[in-house]
Amino acid sequence: MYHEAEKVRQIHQLSMLRTFFEKTDEDTSVYFRNLEIWKCGDKYISEQGKYPVIYLDFKNVYTTSWPEMLSSIKICIVREYKRHRIVKSALIKSDAKIFMSIENETADGAHFSDSLRFLSEALYAYYGVKPIILIDEYDAPIQGGYEKGFYEDIISFMRVFLSAALKGNDSFNFAVLMGVTRTAGAGLFSGFNNTKIYTVLDDRYSSYFGFTKDEVKKLLDDFGASEKYDEVCEWYDGYVFGNEKIFNPVSVLDYVQYGFEARAYWVGTSNESEFKSITGRMTDKIFDNLITLSLGQSVTVPVRADLTYADFTDADNIYSVLFMSGYLKPCVPEGEHHDAELDVVMKSARRGEAIPVTLVNKEIAISYTTDILSYAKNVFRFDFAEELQTAVNSRDLGKTEEGIKKYIRDAVSYYDDREGFYHGFVLGLISQMRAVYAITSNRESGDGRYDITLEPLRGIENVPGIVLEFKVCEKEEDLLAKAGEALAQIDKNDYGRDMVTRGVKNVIKIGMAFCGKNVEFAS
């Protein structure tokens, strides 16, 4: 599974393959003469513009019922038949009749199931050259079927549709299918001719999954912004495909397009259904690990590349979903032996063994908090952010303190005596407040290092800043004293000083003390 930026890259890549190979009246070589492939010699140049191409794009096939889904797929097929209607002249009368029935959407279900194979034969008969088959986001209909409850229907159709064309069919040259979920476990690829499956764990082709270091440096140099390289690394580097470190290509381009402004361009692009499904069965231990990741730390967990939608019933697979979606990367220390250690870790991952993983970069950390922890918030009924915002707006923490404490007590179904856990726990709860606040954690301000501050975003008026300080105690009877100690620490070290310096007129200070499932406030 790749993240949304990877989907965009896939679309561009398959479109480029189509443009490179497809036989047309237009001289499409002009698009490649200044690219690296044109330097590879006649072996590659001679293939340009040589083949008929079948190109199906299923990315927009998403409906609420199986009949609507099937109709949407048929529209994609019909569109491609109309694009190749010239081949009818090379068909015998009976085959031309079948072709026209598909083109006119009057064919029966059996002919549509066989339509990919039939079109490849028709193209071969007309051109005398075996066509290339390209299918983008082949799994989008499967995903839609899984989400809407007709998974078996779409799997059955796609298995016949693809097998008819790709198994035992001598009328095509090769096929490339790209998607975001490997569904081989559902039998979709069983028996295909010489199938090769490549995921983000595989080394082959890994440098083509995004921008490499050299490509990013050249891009910045071309725009006279080479000094921005370290910032780009901090925000958009860190993806690991095979043994290759890759930058998010779409975010890098957005960064350049929007005047070299570093921000999270990828927020809100995750596949909601996948995470909702799997977080619905999340255990306390898994949530603990998710919070640990949000703190910038690593966890050691198994990752799998061969997930099917049926595997989403197992909450332990959330790490694999996050890894294959681009949220997590192998946690390998930088240094002299980095490449060798990364190779060892990736080999372990390919064997299905547990590996240390961490969040990919700064952009992902923001996206992770906004997109992923919000699903966990819904599962555990975390209304803390709403309650806290109400309390702050009304300037009356006492009015809502009991409600806040109740939510935390209900949410924490296990005991933990680590301050770091509660720190991450609260970060997850307040993640939805990013529309109003810049949320920072463990930064220096005043005469010390605070736990969390929420500073009003520029342009947002009449909203106070917030400083949160946490303490953990072993006995419940010590909670009030510890909360007061946390509040006193805020005052003593003047944690709100930087916000005041930047023009925040009112700063609310809150000390929080935790003991197992219990919490007390001081303000």
Side-chain angles (χ1 to χ4, degrees):
M1 233 171 282
Y2 312 120
H3 53 68
E4 192 71 20
E6 187 59 22
K7 288 185 183 181
V8 175
R9 183 203 60 77
Q10 289 173 1
I11 295 169
H12 291 166
Q13 188 179 64
L14 278 191
S15 295
M16 185 170 284
L17 282 177
R18 170 183 168 182
T19 304
F20 182 83
F21 285 112
E22 188 159 37
K23 187 182 185 69
T24 66
D25 293 334
E26 178 189 359
D27 179 12
T28 53
S29 67
V30 296
Y31 300 117
F32 303 96
R33 288 174 184 168
N34 293 324
L35 302 183
E36 290 297 315
I37 194 169
W38 223 248
K39 302 174 185 178
C40 295
D42 291 340
K43 178 180 178 181
Y44 292 90
I45 294 174
S46 63
E47 296 291 300
Q48 202 278 316
K50 180 179 177 180
Y51 301 91
V53 173
I54 299 173
Y55 181 83
L56 295 174
D57 185 353
F58 288 147
K59 70 178 182 294
N60 293 321
V61 174
Y62 184 88
T63 49
T64 58
S65 69
W66 169 233
E68 288 181 354
M69 171 74 77
L70 184 58
S71 178
S72 184
I73 292 172
K74 286 180 178 179
I75 289 172
C76 292
I77 295 169
V78 167
R79 187 181 298 119
E80 194 65 2
Y81 265 67
K82 288 181 177 179
R83 196 170 74 89
H84 292 296
R85 58 164 54 102
I86 192 174
V87 305
K88 285 184 292 187
S89 61
L91 301 176
I92 61 174
K93 186 175 181 179
S94 59
D95 284 347
K97 185 177 180 181
I98 293 173
F99 191 103
M100 286 187 290
S101 70
I102 295 174
E103 183 183 7
N104 297 328
E105 299 185 58
T106 59
D108 58 26
H111 280 124
F112 268 104
S113 295
D114 189 51
S115 58
L116 186 57
R117 181 205 62 81
F118 185 83
L119 182 56
S120 68
E121 286 192 350
L123 287 167
Y124 186 27
Y126 182 85
Y127 289 102
V129 178
K130 294 181 179 181
I132 293 168
I133 298 174
L134 304 176
I135 304 179
D136 189 41
E137 295 203 36
Y138 71 90
D139 59 334
I142 300 169
Q143 177 182 306
Y146 174 78
E147 293 172 7
K148 301 301 180 181
F150 48 90
Y151 177 75
E152 292 301 325
D153 291 315
I154 184 59
I155 276 289
S156 296
F157 173 84
M158 292 297 287
R159 188 178 293 127
V160 174
F161 177 72
L162 294 175
S163 293
L166 307 179
K167 180 180 180 180
N169 177 18
D170 294 328
S171 297
F172 78 104
N173 195 307
F174 65 85
V176 178
L177 283 67
M178 299 193 77
V180 292
T181 306
R182 176 180 171 180
T183 54
L188 192 62
F189 298 144
S190 60
F192 285 11
N193 294 341
N194 303 314
T195 305
K196 301 294 183 184
I197 299 174
Y198 299 98
T199 72
V200 297
L201 294 178
D202 297 297
D203 194 36
R204 192 171 188 184
Y205 306 120
S206 59
S207 62
Y208 304 107
F209 279 73
F211 289 164
T212 64
K213 176 178 66 176
D214 291 340
E215 288 169 338
V216 170
K217 285 183 175 180
K218 186 178 188 308
L219 175 66
L220 294 175
D221 287 345
D222 288 346
F223 280 88
S226 56
E227 75 282 359
K228 298 288 188 179
Y229 178 72
D230 288 342
E231 183 175 67
V232 173
C233 288
E234 180 185 8
W235 278 82
Y236 312 117
D237 188 16
Y239 298 94
V240 178
F241 298 124
N243 290 346
E244 190 83 33
K245 290 182 66 177
I246 292 295
F247 291 74
N248 181 334
V250 174
S251 292
V252 171
L253 292 177
D254 283 343
Y255 171 81
V256 173
Q257 181 179 351
Y258 288 98
F260 308 102
E261 180 182 347
R263 55 188 169 98
Y265 295 100
W266 189 44
V267 172
T269 60
S270 65
N271 190 317
E272 181 175 328
S273 63
E274 295 170 356
F275 294 110
K276 277 187 174 180
S277 173
I278 206 161
T279 54
R281 301 172 176 84
M282 188 164 50
T283 65
D284 298 337
K285 176 61 176 176
I286 291 173
F287 184 71
D288 191 0
N289 280 341
L290 295 184
I291 293 298
T292 299
L293 290 167
S294 75
L295 297 175
Q297 301 171 15
S298 67
V299 298
T300 300
V301 293
V303 295
R304 296 172 49 197
D306 59 345
L307 289 180
T308 72
Y309 286 107
D311 294 318
F312 287 6
T313 59
D314 184 352
D316 286 332
N317 286 326
I318 190 169
Y319 309 114
S320 298
V321 174
L322 290 170
F323 190 91
M324 305 306 287
S325 300
Y327 286 91
L328 302 178
K329 67 177 179 180
C331 186
V332 179
E334 295 294 337
E336 181 181 354
H337 304 293
H338 171 83
D339 291 347
E341 292 180 7
L342 177 61
D343 183 56
V344 171
V345 168
M346 293 303 284
K347 285 180 179 177
S348 296
R350 288 191 285 271
R351 292 193 295 264
E353 299 171 0
I355 63 170
V357 295
T358 189
L359 293 178
V360 170
N361 53 39
K362 193 169 184 177
E363 178 185 48
I364 287 301
I366 294 173
S367 179
Y368 174 85
T369 301
T370 302
D371 297 343
I372 307 306
L373 289 188
S374 65
Y375 303 140
K377 168 182 176 292
N378 292 332
V379 171
F380 284 89
R381 300 174 56 228
F382 296 156
D383 293 342
F384 180 88
E386 182 179 344
E387 293 284 349
L388 182 59
Q389 188 70 66
T390 300
V392 168
N393 291 343
S394 65
R395 307 295 198 273
D396 186 2
L397 275 174
K399 185 177 179 180
T400 58
E401 182 174 333
E402 283 304 313
I404 293 172
K405 289 194 288 188
K406 179 181 182 300
Y407 283 122
I408 293 180
R409 286 168 181 160
D410 289 346
V412 182
S413 58
Y414 51 94
Y415 293 84
D416 199 306
D417 60 1
R418 292 176 292 120
E419 184 178 322
F421 164 76
Y422 292 109
H423 186 131
F425 179 79
V426 174
L427 271 177
L429 301 183
I430 64 177
S431 63
Q432 300 308 301
M433 300 175 74
R434 290 184 182 275
V436 177
Y437 291 103
I439 302 172
T440 56
S441 172
N442 285 321
R443 301 277 182 86
E444 291 184 0
S445 179
D447 299 318
R449 183 181 290 270
Y450 57 76
D451 281 331
I452 295 176
T453 64
L454 296 87
E455 182 173 345
L457 296 173
R458 186 178 302 174
I460 295 181
E461 304 292 338
N462 302 318
V463 174
I466 305 172
V467 179
L468 301 175
E469 187 68 24
F470 311 116
K471 297 293 181 184
V472 172
C473 56
E474 296 180 357
K475 299 178 181 179
E476 290 184 20
E477 55 263 35
D478 295 333
L479 278 168
L480 280 173
K482 280 289 185 181
E485 183 181 324
L487 180 61
Q489 183 175 324
I490 296 174
D491 287 328
K492 178 183 177 181
N493 294 324
D494 197 11
Y495 288 152
R497 181 195 302 169
D498 289 354
M499 277 196 280
V500 173
T501 301
R502 288 190 287 266
V504 178
K505 297 179 181 179
N506 183 24
V507 177
I508 293 179
K509 307 163 187 176
I510 304 174
M512 301 176 67
F514 298 90
C515 181
K517 295 168 63 174
N518 293 288
V519 60
E520 287 290 348
F521 287 65
S523 62

